[in-house]
Amino acid sequence: MLRLHPFRYHRPETVAEAVQLLAQHGQEAMPVAGGTDLLPNMKHGLFRPGHVVSLNRIGELRGISTIAPPSNGHRPGDSFVRTTGATGGTAGHLRIGALETLHDISAHPDVRRRFPGLAEAAGLVAGPQLRNMGTIGGNVCLDTRCTYYNQTAFWRGALGHCLKKDGDTCHVTKTGKKCVAAHSADTPPNLIALGATLTLAGPNGRREVEAADFFIADGIRNTRRAPGEILTEVRIPLGRPSARSAYQKLRQRKSIDFPLLSVAVAGDFANDGSVASLKGVVSVLGARPRLLSDWEGLATGKPLNAGVIRDLAHRAWQQCRPLENVVGDAGWRRAMVPVCVGRALEKLAGLGTRPDR
Amino acid sequence: MEVVRLTVNGDERVCGVPAHYTLLETLRYGLGLTGSKQGCDKGDCGACTVVLDGKAVLSCLTPILEAEGRHVRTVEGLASGVEPHPLQDEFDLHGAAQCGFCTPGILCSAAALLDREPSPSREDIREALAGNLCRCTGYEKIYDAVEGAAARCRA
């Protein structure tokens, strides 16, 4: 039996009210939506907020809608037409409210049609009950995970605690002074590959952050979300009809488990089938998903055939070095980098892949 | 202490519980409904699964105030009087319960499935029960029982 510590539970109905509550209670407060990660962490004594601010009654944080490109350039009153974000131009985008559940995202026809990689990733998070509860906002803001962190207080205490919580030693790197707990969420690699923009609301109003800039390589706090801010929505540029995406997740069981490695790829193809653009993101390495570099050039202008996929997978392997921060031998996980990248690219190319998920 | 109203298995219930209680703790220790099991208590095992407004959720990770005003269905609410739910009957006929600890959660996941999909495929059933751990049966008898119950519900 794992008990929660006593706290006050707030249920604001607007973003402004939620932000005000978080500001009022400062470090004593934490926001919660689906609770599927925060509650186990509180039960493990990793967080003890005196005030829990539930976002679940805020209607503004719901909804999945396709916002078509404006027919005549900027139209006053179109709140989405902003100049700051990459999606703020004339391309049109899909808006997903932060409170939408992972199940609803995985089942939504527009998400499945336009962003199959994201739909698949949302449908592979944990198990069915947790996908009915967990939200995309929570998935994006998921705390990093580590063998030495996601444990009971008794377990952590027996080892003398770690850098991320109550201690000064990293049991993964032994000597390092930087926390390397793993980014373990399934949807963010896809959002990065798809060029999504995140909107945050805080005491100073709203701001937008590119998904690619949202994560930082610090396992203790791996996002640019300030403690008093809440994520309100995710916007994904629609891209051309020929754009495709795919996701590949490595884990021990086909359900429940967090990823041991994850790969999101997104690309666009010319009329002759050759690659016009390609992005790849590998995660569960350290605290930040890794956008593969010097990668696209291996494929642009070429058909995405077995040879090109092999080159891309090898380049990914050169850049990705999993650590002993989650279950599963790091050497094996590294050996699986080219395998998973290759499978994701096979899906992207429509070559078909073994039905192993 | 919070006074929480919710509908449990069709009955309006009012209970006084601390805000940090989960739905599971409220069911078991506030309302005496011990059918929903406290297994891992952190969202891994599925033994605490209940149906909340038609969806299978984990009651061990549902703060009680999130259940306020909503409809909860637990394993105790499946039978109609002395008549077992077809799922319960088929679990009995197929020997789909051994130690029985995971069974209430599996029945709730399966009940939510049959409510939304009266003719589930074997794969639909496997997927719907993918968040419920059973360490005894190996699942095959459970899938058989859910298939049998689906056929009876359609008849």
Side-chain angles (χ1 to χ4, degrees):
Chain A
M1 178 184 303
L2 293 166
R3 306 301 300 270
L4 291 166
H5 66 278
F7 50 73
R8 276 203 62 191
Y9 200 78
H10 302 270
R11 291 174 287 174
E13 296 187 351
T14 63
V15 169
E17 217 182 315
V19 167
Q20 198 274 325
L21 280 163
L22 290 172
Q24 183 185 336
H25 298 292
Q27 293 188 335
E28 275 293 291
M30 286 185 85
V32 66
T36 56
D37 192 55
L38 184 63
L39 262 68
N41 285 354
M42 291 196 322
K43 287 182 170 195
H44 279 170
L46 298 171
F47 302 111
R48 289 183 67 86
H51 296 265
V52 177
V53 179
S54 164
L55 307 178
N56 290 307
R57 299 196 171 199
I58 305 177
E60 184 195 331
L61 301 182
R62 297 193 186 275
I64 300 177
S65 51
T66 303
I67 314 290
S71 50
N72 245 337
H74 180 82
R75 278 183 296 184
D78 277 356
S79 60
F80 72 91
V81 181
R82 296 177 189 137
T83 49
T84 44
T87 60
T90 55
H93 61 266
L94 184 81
R95 174 200 177 269
I96 304 178
L99 267 188
E100 287 298 317
T101 65
L102 295 161
H103 168 81
D104 288 348
I105 290 163
S106 71
H108 196 279
D110 287 347
V111 182
R112 294 174 70 94
R113 183 167 52 91
R114 292 189 180 273
F115 309 114
L118 176 63
E120 183 173 2
L124 290 176
V125 175
Q129 301 98 316
L130 291 166
R131 290 194 293 275
N132 284 337
M133 305 166 74
T135 65
I136 190 162
N139 197 244
V140 170
C141 298
L142 189 82
D143 194 15
T144 52
R145 298 184 62 82
C146 180
T147 307
Y148 301 97
Y149 174 68
N150 298 96
Q151 304 286 353
T152 59
F154 178 83
W155 192 104
R156 287 180 285 112
L159 202 65
H161 299 286
C162 78
L163 269 186
K164 185 162 162 69
K165 179 67 183 164
D166 298 333
D168 55 7
T169 309
C170 175
H171 302 293
V172 176
T173 60
K174 313 295 181 197
T175 53
K177 284 294 165 203
K178 198 164 108 181
C179 173
V180 293
H183 176 272
S184 304
D186 289 290
T187 60
N190 295 278
L191 297 176
I192 293 169
L194 293 167
T197 304
L198 311 173
T199 304
L200 297 160
N204 301 321
R206 302 204 179 200
R207 66 188 179 109
E208 296 178 345
V209 182
E210 301 300 308
D213 298 330
F214 186 62
F215 297 96
I216 51 179
D218 176 359
I220 295 174
R221 271 200 76 79
N222 78 328
T223 74
R224 296 194 190 278
R225 183 183 71 84
E229 287 184 312
I230 59 173
L231 178 65
T232 59
E233 66 182 41
V234 172
R235 286 181 294 122
I236 312 170
L238 294 182
R240 300 196 316 155
S242 51
R244 291 185 227 155
S245 59
Y247 182 63
Q248 188 70 30
K249 174 172 180 171
L250 179 71
R251 55 181 165 178
Q252 288 177 312
R253 302 172 290 190
K254 286 186 188 174
S255 183
I256 303 174
D257 291 335
F258 281 93
L260 300 178
L261 197 66
S262 63
V263 179
V265 290
D268 199 355
F269 295 84
N271 289 337
D272 64 359
S274 64
V275 174
S277 67
L278 184 66
K279 275 187 192 174
V281 178
V282 179
S283 197
V284 205
L285 304 167
R288 178 183 187 188
R290 184 180 195 94
L291 178 64
L292 295 170
S293 56
D294 296 328
W295 202 60
E296 187 176 37
L298 294 173
T300 36
K302 300 176 191 169
L304 196 52
N305 59 28
V308 172
I309 288 175
R310 197 166 52 240
D311 293 344
L312 290 164
H314 180 72
R315 183 64 60 85
W317 175 82
Q318 290 175 317
Q319 294 177 30
C320 299
R321 289 177 179 76
L323 301 165
E324 297 284 0
N325 47 6
V326 297
V327 290
D329 176 73
W332 171 68
R333 287 165 60 220
R334 181 157 194 226
M336 289 303 285
V337 169
V339 177
C340 291
V341 171
R343 287 178 183 171
L345 289 168
E346 284 170 14
K347 277 189 221 171
L348 194 76
L351 294 177
T353 182
R354 282 150 288 186
D356 62 354
R357 298 219 297 207
Chain B
M1 196 67 89
E2 305 274 347
V3 177
V4 181
R5 288 168 193 276
L6 67 166
T7 305
V8 181
N9 299 325
D11 297 330
E12 174 111 0
R13 304 293 295 261
V14 183
C15 49
V17 288
H20 66 276
Y21 262 39
T22 61
L23 174 58
L24 177 65
E25 288 165 330
T26 306
L27 291 169
R28 290 181 61 86
Y29 310 124
L31 300 172
L33 296 170
T34 53
S36 306
K37 294 292 178 269
Q38 201 160 12
C40 70
D41 217 7
K42 54 176 180 165
D44 290 336
C45 76
C48 68
T49 304
V50 300
V51 185
L52 185 63
D53 288 343
K55 288 179 179 163
V57 301
L58 300 181
S59 60
C60 77
L61 296 184
T62 303
I64 182 55
L65 288 171
E66 293 297 342
E68 182 158 40
R70 300 173 72 181
H71 289 258
V72 184
R73 196 179 187 197
T74 69
V75 69
E76 289 93 342
L78 294 182
S80 308
V82 295
E83 195 64 34
H85 188 281
L87 277 167
Q88 293 169 308
D89 211 21
E90 291 290 322
F91 266 60
D92 179 22
L93 292 170
H94 284 90
Q98 287 185 29
C99 86
F101 194 85
C102 70
T103 310
I106 291 184
L107 288 169
C108 285
S109 285
L113 169 68
L114 296 189
D115 281 349
R116 70 167 190 271
E117 175 53 71
S119 304
S121 66
R122 190 86 170 178
E123 188 53 34
D124 292 338
I125 297 170
R126 289 167 61 90
E127 184 51 42
L129 301 184
N132 294 85
L133 296 179
C134 172
R135 302 294 83 173
C136 303
T137 65
Y139 297 97
E140 291 301 321
K141 291 172 177 178
I142 294 172
Y143 301 149
D144 293 342
V146 177
E147 280 182 346
R152 275 173 57 177
C153 289
R154 288 195 302 271

